[in-house]
């Protein structure tokens, strides 16, 4: 007898599974500056944040 397809979302590869997110609070001027940078990048908010944080971490940039 043929095997039935499983119902639900297919399993993701282990390197594609996300861990819990990061939450931060911003003042309005910080949020506006970030929104402007996100719009200029043409990325989604999540993509921009992920790429920005990884860039800083991988390049060992220490912010003041």
């Amino acid at each position: 007898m043929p095997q039935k397809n499983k119902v639900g979302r297919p399993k993701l590869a282990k390197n594609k599974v996300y861990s819990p997110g990061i939450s931060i609070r911003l003042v309005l001027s910080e949020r506006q500056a970030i929104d402007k940078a996100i719009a200029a990048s043409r990325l989604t908010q999540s993509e921009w944040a992920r790429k920005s944080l990884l860039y800083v971490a991988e390049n060992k940039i220490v912010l003041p």
Side-chain angles (χ1 to χ4, degrees):
M1 182 179 322
Q3 190 176 12
K4 290 186 176 183
N5 291 338
K6 291 186 178 181
V7 178
R9 180 179 178 185
K11 297 272 184 191
L12 293 174
K14 287 188 179 188
N15 64 343
K16 296 287 184 183
V17 177
Y18 293 111
S19 64
I22 297 173
S23 179
I24 60 170
R25 293 185 183 273
L26 303 167
V27 297
L28 183 58
S29 60
E30 293 170 333
R31 180 57 196 240
Q32 289 169 336
I34 291 170
D35 284 343
K36 188 175 180 180
I38 292 169
S41 74
R42 304 181 83 185
L43 297 171
T44 67
Q45 197 173 14
S46 292
E47 291 169 333
W48 183 89
R50 187 178 302 111
K51 288 177 183 270
S52 298
L53 289 168
L54 286 171
Y55 178 82
V56 170
E58 290 169 355
N59 290 288
K60 298 176 178 70
I61 297 172
V62 179
L63 303 173

